[in-house]
Amino acid sequence: MSDTESGEESNYGAENITVLEGLEAVRKRPGMYIGSTGPQGLHHLVYEVVDNSVDEAMAGHCSAIEVIVHTDDSVEVRDDGRGIPTGEHPKYEGMSAAEVVMTVLHAGGKFGGGGYKVSGGLHGVGISVVNALSKKVEVQIDREGKHHYMDFADGGTVQTKLEVRGESPDGFTGTTVRFWPDDTIFEETEFRAQTLLDRFQMMAFLNRGLKIRFRDERRAEVHEDANEDGWIEFHYEGGIKDFVRHVNQSKEALFAKVGYYEVAEETQEVEIAFQWNTGFNADGLHSFANGITTGGGGMHETGFRSALTRTVNKYGKDKNLLKDTEDLSGDDVREGLTAIISVRLQDPQFEGQTKDKLGNVSVRSMVEKATNEKLAEWLEENPAEAKLVINKSIAAQRAREAARAARDTIRNKTALDGAGMPEKLKDCSSKDPRERELFIVEGDSAGGSAIQARDPRTMAILPIRGKILNVERARLDRMLKNLEVQTLIQAIGAGIGDEFDIDKIRYHKIILLADADVDGSHIRTLLLTFFFRQMRELVENQHIYIAQPPLYSTTQGKSKVYLKDDREKDAWLEDHPNHKKDFQRLKGLGEMQWLELAETTMNPGDRTLLQVSVDQAAMADEVFSTLMGEDVARRKHFIQTNAKDVRFLDI
Ligand code: 0RA
């Protein structure tokens, strides 16, 4: 079909039937193509369309991509690339190339032409899958001076065949795809702006120079990061170097430079950016394959890790910064390291249950070789930075040894002191961990009330004093010297860090009991962060709870009524319109009668406990990093921008 013949009914050949069968298969088993029909699958549709434009941009034909979410929850993706070809497709009679791209599975790639093509997209399924799962799709193409239009309905059936609708603006080429997800296929069809923004920002980091703009027309007010027209733009000339700077922004860099190297082979390539910070986390390694997060790691990470450890050790010994007998471990070298590894390859194998682990063996040797060579060069060329890295690694090694010693001391203490339990712990008598509960109570006087209020058979009380310590800035060895932390570890009885053994926990409910005020919130955040970092399985298996002492009390007739928070108070007032407004604000746990404490907060029949999820703990961890981290400006910004959202901090 040529452009002038557009609109004419053509005979459907065998090809057309295959096309419809292909799209029908997608509609029957969408999960096979986009993972799920939940929110993730829905957002995947956008990524699939944008990936096509990104390919065009990375081939050097497109300068910017614009994404708009419309008020009807349709999504429009525009680019100024070459435009999808509009001429008749050589293989499919009566169909334009653009129609083939939109309706034939896996036809999204560039036709003809040599060389290898590395495309993004989780499964690389192509834009026809989006068509199959939409109730309507409109395509506009500017190419060879003409503006073309075509649309589809009900999962990819052509409504309007490609036709010319006037001239393109002077010299302009490009493609616009707008789609309406099919609400009979997806559980919900509402897009979440932040999810899209996070993805676009990541793509912009991973594709140096790429410009992605986003606008959400559903919002009445303009996003805080948007310009006056409502556009948010991501554009990083530094690519993954800027990514590393971004990750280290809330931390204190060990030195200002960001290291970088890249190596391209015939069918695969790698780029790596890195910078150490003064923190103690050893999990700052983030890897990607063809622009997709590989949270499960894989061959690229394995290659990098072994070459990193080897190269830093070799440099240290060559320069006499390390003794010949002193070997730094991988953990020592990675402490405080933020690194981005991005590989591109022809046929990525994603493995593991969540398909987020890269399995291609050839990638390991490429990354290992690249790192052995280029990292060694970088260290040679940057001796001041290299020395800081070696010294930091040595400090990490010493701290690890000290932590081991401290851990042994605690373990021996536990073994020697009979039951080995700290003096402050008022333990319970039941021997069955499943029914035993540990209340961690802030302050000695509150601890006193809690001891009186408890059921001594199942409830143990551990009073701890004030701020346990700043777990963010302390290494494990210092943390282990802290008496409050030692007490916690002993009471829970399952070790800490790598040695934590969930099967040994002495209580199945660990309940944080602190005041409902700012100090209480702070100590809860500290404790949650500690559990999240050092006993993560406790959080993952949902053994952590937050007790909720009431904020108000009032009397009705002869009985006392407790109200958890302002919302309960307001609700109660609504139900009792004639009640005089004499509410007591309960100041703190310490001032509560023990009976009050029992009846409002501790008795299983009366209390409400908040069960902590990993999300909440991770949030505490992030809030904590930001609030307690070294970077004052960022901390201030965080407090200012989150001051309105009290829920966020008030865990
Ligand atoms: C096939 C071939 C060519 C470009 C494209 C597809 C293409 C697809 C999409 C999807 C969204 N935006 C796009 N831009 C381009 C090559 C065209 C040529 O050789 O001129």
Side-chain angles (χ1 to χ4, degrees):
M1 188 196 77
S2 73
D3 290 335
T4 45
E5 287 169 347
S6 61
E8 185 188 313
E9 275 296 310
S10 48
N11 294 331
Y12 262 50
E15 308 91 354
N16 309 80
I17 292 161
T18 321
V19 164
L20 290 175
E21 279 172 355
L23 295 191
E24 192 49 42
V26 178
R27 290 176 66 79
K28 275 215 185 89
R29 307 188 62 187
M32 285 244 314
Y33 298 87
I34 54 161
S36 79
T37 53
Q40 271 205 320
L42 177 75
H43 289 79
H44 189 88
L45 298 183
V46 183
Y47 310 151
E48 201 58 57
V49 179
V50 173
D51 280 344
N52 284 278
S53 301
V54 171
D55 286 348
E56 193 65 4
M58 294 331 284
H61 302 292
C62 157
S63 72
I65 300 166
E66 294 182 341
V67 182
I68 300 167
V69 181
H70 290 276
T71 49
D72 61 359
D73 263 302
S74 64
V75 174
E76 182 176 342
V77 180
R78 313 200 278 230
D79 68 50
D80 57 355
R82 289 167 295 179
I84 309 178
T86 50
E88 178 162 358
H89 193 278
K91 236 178 74 194
Y92 292 82
E93 212 184 306
M95 284 167 78
S96 62
E99 189 178 329
V100 173
V101 168
M102 293 306 297
T103 56
V104 178
L105 290 181
H106 300 287
K110 320 287 188 230
F111 328 105
Y116 80 97
K117 174 175 169 288
V118 168
S119 165
L122 186 51
H123 314 285
V125 287
I127 206 162
S128 60
V129 166
V130 177
N131 202 5
L133 301 176
S134 296
K135 58 184 190 212
K136 184 178 169 187
V137 175
E138 290 176 356
V139 181
Q140 299 176 67
I141 299 165
D142 287 291
R143 201 175 152 95
E144 289 159 15
K146 300 214 165 51
H147 185 78
H148 303 73
Y149 177 91
M150 114 180 110
D151 62 33
F152 303 84
D154 304 323
T157 309
V158 183
Q159 293 294 104
T160 314
K161 280 185 82 83
L162 190 72
E163 62 187 30
V164 172
R165 291 192 172 175
E167 311 270 290
S168 300
D170 223 4
F172 180 76
T173 60
T175 306
T176 297
V177 175
R178 179 172 175 182
F179 67 96
W180 286 255
D182 190 333
D183 55 13
T184 64
I185 288 184
F186 290 97
E187 288 158 28
E188 50 177 286
T189 52
E190 196 177 319
F191 290 97
R192 191 174 159 266
Q194 196 55 49
T195 303
L196 297 172
L197 283 168
D198 288 347
R199 169 83 179 202
F200 298 151
Q201 181 172 37
M202 195 185 88
M203 289 173 122
F205 278 131
L206 292 174
N207 296 285
R208 170 172 60 212
L210 175 67
K211 284 188 190 126
I212 304 188
R213 285 194 274 276
F214 175 79
R215 194 167 75 190
D216 186 353
E217 303 208 323
R218 300 166 305 176
R219 287 174 66 114
E221 79 279 26
V222 170
H223 191 282
E224 60 168 301
D225 295 329
N227 70 12
E228 55 202 17
D229 299 325
W231 290 106
I232 298 172
E233 181 177 283
F234 299 111
H235 173 213
Y236 303 103
E237 281 303 337
I240 62 170
K241 284 176 83 171
D242 288 342
F243 202 163
V244 167
R245 279 199 194 92
H246 174 80
V247 175
N248 270 349
Q249 191 179 284
S250 61
K251 305 172 168 82
E252 190 193 5
L254 190 62
F255 43 77
K257 275 183 196 156
V258 175
Y260 176 87
Y261 51 90
E262 60 187 327
V263 165
E265 295 177 354
E266 201 152 316
T267 62
Q268 53 180 12
E269 58 194 46
V270 57
E271 54 170 346
I272 295 178
F274 58 95
Q275 184 186 48
W276 274 263
N277 61 62
T278 57
F280 308 122
N281 274 346
D283 51 9
L285 188 59
H286 306 280
S287 67
F288 302 84
N290 290 7
I292 297 149
T293 322
T294 38
M299 290 300 164
H300 46 354
E301 284 198 17
T302 310
F304 177 74
R305 281 166 193 259
S306 60
L308 171 76
T309 310
R310 182 185 166 277
T311 306
V312 172
N313 270 297
K314 183 168 183 306
Y315 179 86
K317 286 175 188 175
D318 285 353
K319 303 288 173 212
N320 291 322
L321 297 167
L322 270 179
K323 289 197 199 84
D324 272 347
T325 51
E326 247 175 351
D327 260 321
L328 299 167
S329 74
D331 281 331
D332 298 334
V333 175
R334 284 196 308 276
E335 191 188 89
L337 172 69
T338 298
I340 306 288
I341 305 176
S342 170
V343 299
R344 297 191 185 263
L345 65 163
Q346 217 157 26
D347 185 19
Q349 303 295 313
F350 294 105
E351 297 178 342
Q353 211 161 35
T354 43
K355 298 270 172 253
D356 64 349
K357 191 172 170 194
L358 185 67
N360 303 62
V361 179
S362 64
V363 170
R364 185 182 59 204
S365 48
M366 169 179 62
V367 176
E368 197 166 340
K369 194 160 158 273
T371 304
N372 278 336
E373 282 172 22
K374 307 269 177 159
L375 181 64
E377 272 171 39
W378 188 87
L379 293 170
E380 285 292 343
E381 286 162 14
N382 298 280
E385 285 78 6
K387 194 167 175 187
L388 287 168
V389 170
I390 300 278
N391 286 344
K392 171 149 177 80
S393 303
I394 293 173
Q397 185 181 52
R398 297 218 172 108
R400 220 172 298 284
E401 275 157 12
R404 198 170 303 131
R407 203 145 45 185
D408 287 345
T409 319
I410 293 180
R411 206 182 296 120
N412 292 339
K413 237 198 224 163
T414 312
L416 294 175
D417 297 352
M421 282 305 125
E423 221 172 296
K424 293 206 297 182
L425 175 72
K426 273 276 170 292
D427 216 343
C428 53
S429 60
S430 164
K431 297 280 173 268
D432 181 358
R434 284 172 305 183
E435 64 169 358
R436 288 158 57 90
E437 302 179 343
L438 176 66
F439 281 81
I440 302 175
V441 188
E442 176 199 4
D444 287 336
S445 73
S449 306
I451 288 166
Q452 283 182 288
R454 71 175 179 152
D455 172 356
R457 200 180 70 79
T458 57
M459 296 176 180
I461 308 294
L462 180 66
I464 57 166
R465 218 173 321 112
K467 312 285 154 78
I468 49 170
L469 92 157
N470 190 334
V471 276
E472 166 77 0
R473 279 156 61 177
R475 279 209 185 89
L476 193 55
D477 63 316
R478 255 192 61 208
M479 224 180 275
L480 289 174
K481 287 201 187 105
N482 181 283
L483 278 180
E484 305 295 331
V485 170
Q486 286 186 11
T487 309
L488 266 175
I489 299 166
Q490 280 175 268
I492 292 167
I496 186 169
D498 301 340
E499 290 185 359
F500 184 76
D501 181 358
I502 191 81
D503 294 332
K504 292 205 178 125
I505 54 171
R506 300 174 64 245
Y507 310 89
H508 275 215
K509 283 201 173 78
I510 294 173
I511 304 169
L512 316 187
L513 177 55
D515 286 336
D517 59 8
V518 177
D519 280 348
S521 165
H522 186 198
I523 195 142
R524 267 191 299 278
T525 304
L526 275 166
L527 285 165
L528 283 180
T529 302
F530 174 74
F531 289 130
F532 182 69
R533 298 244 174 107
Q534 300 298 340
M535 302 185 182
R536 186 159 308 177
E537 270 184 285
L538 266 190
V539 186
E540 282 169 353
N541 295 5
Q542 309 210 307
H543 291 297
I544 310 277
Y545 296 80
I546 292 170
Q548 297 190 285
L551 210 50
Y552 299 102
S553 71
T554 186
T555 45
Q556 184 181 36
K558 276 186 192 141
S559 56
K560 203 156 184 179
V561 179
Y562 295 97
L563 301 162
K564 204 172 74 193
D565 51 22
D566 285 301
R567 223 178 64 205
E568 268 195 10
K569 189 180 100 184
D570 294 344
W572 197 85
L573 269 174
E574 257 171 45
D575 291 344
H576 305 83
N578 298 322
H579 185 76
K580 49 186 177 17
K581 294 183 169 111
D582 59 343
F583 292 95
Q584 267 88 52
R585 197 185 156 96
L586 300 170
K587 283 229 187 71
L589 295 167
E591 287 161 57
M592 257 189 189
Q593 301 289 334
W594 68 265
L595 197 58
E596 282 182 324
L597 187 62
E599 286 175 352
T600 59
T601 314
M602 292 177 68
N603 285 352
D606 303 314
R607 71 190 184 190
T608 45
L609 295 180
L610 239 162
Q611 193 171 26
V612 175
S613 69
V614 174
D615 274 2
Q616 285 164 319
M619 191 71 89
D621 186 73
E622 194 183 320
V623 168
F624 196 82
S625 292
T626 310
L627 289 181
M628 296 299 148
E630 315 257 2
D631 185 335
V632 179
R634 193 176 143 86
R635 183 161 67 211
K636 213 163 141 192
H637 176 75
F638 183 90
I639 293 170
Q640 281 163 352
T641 49
N642 289 286
K644 279 172 275 161
D645 199 352
V646 181
R647 280 171 307 128
F648 195 47
L649 284 168
D650 188 19
I651 296 163

